[in-house]
Amino acid sequence: MSEAENLFERIIAREIPADIVHETPNTLAFRDINPQAKTHVLVVPKTRYRNVAELAAEPELLAEVITTARAVAELEGIVDSGYRVVFNTERDAGQTVFHVHAHVLGGEQLGFFGRYEGRGNPHDG
């Protein structure tokens, strides 16, 4: 087996163990080792793209990543209560592994995005 370039490639190659939740021929979903919500699963394409902007060049694979995220939400029982799918792109957004991955978060009430520190919904008048 060849040397994988990053952590996710090593997980895909089964060189590093992971708690795998779901797999398709083109995607792998596994639990985040540092969960930020009760449910926190990462969905990665098995082919490496640096970020979601690069993956956008392959719309069918991008759609499969989103479909896999939905399957994870179904398996985790969080479809009805709600879930969030997040792609971090580059360092300032918090991307630390440069192999595109979707975070599927849910299973509890989630907070707001970014630096908003007010109360209530910022979109309510």
Side-chain angles (χ1 to χ4, degrees):
M1 194 171 293
S2 66
E3 282 289 313
E5 292 184 33
N6 66 48
L7 174 67
F8 293 165
E9 287 172 313
R10 294 187 68 202
I11 290 171
I12 291 163
R14 305 305 202 267
E15 294 172 4
I16 295 176
D19 184 357
I20 296 171
V21 174
H22 186 68
E23 183 171 10
T24 73
N26 299 311
T27 65
L28 186 68
F30 51 92
R31 296 196 191 284
D32 194 297
I33 61 170
N34 185 25
Q36 302 299 304
K38 185 175 177 184
T39 296
H40 189 170
V41 175
L42 303 178
V43 178
V44 301
K46 291 179 179 177
T47 301
R48 188 175 136 198
Y49 294 85
R50 181 177 173 85
N51 55 44
V52 72
E54 276 191 12
L55 182 57
E58 299 293 338
E60 289 180 9
L61 183 54
L62 176 57
E64 187 170 345
V65 169
I66 299 299
T67 301
T68 300
R70 165 67 185 209
V72 166
E74 291 171 353
L75 291 167
E76 295 292 308
I78 59 174
V79 170
D80 292 336
S81 61
Y83 61 99
R84 184 175 292 163
V85 178
V86 176
F87 290 93
N88 297 323
T89 301
E90 300 303 332
R91 293 186 198 288
D92 280 355
Q95 186 177 7
T96 57
V97 178
F98 294 92
H99 181 132
V100 66
H101 52 286
H103 297 259
V104 180
L105 302 149
E108 63 184 308
Q109 180 68 50
L110 300 174
F112 291 106
F113 286 108
R115 301 184 86 196
Y116 178 75
E117 296 179 20
R119 294 178 185 248
N121 186 335
H123 301 290
D124 290 343

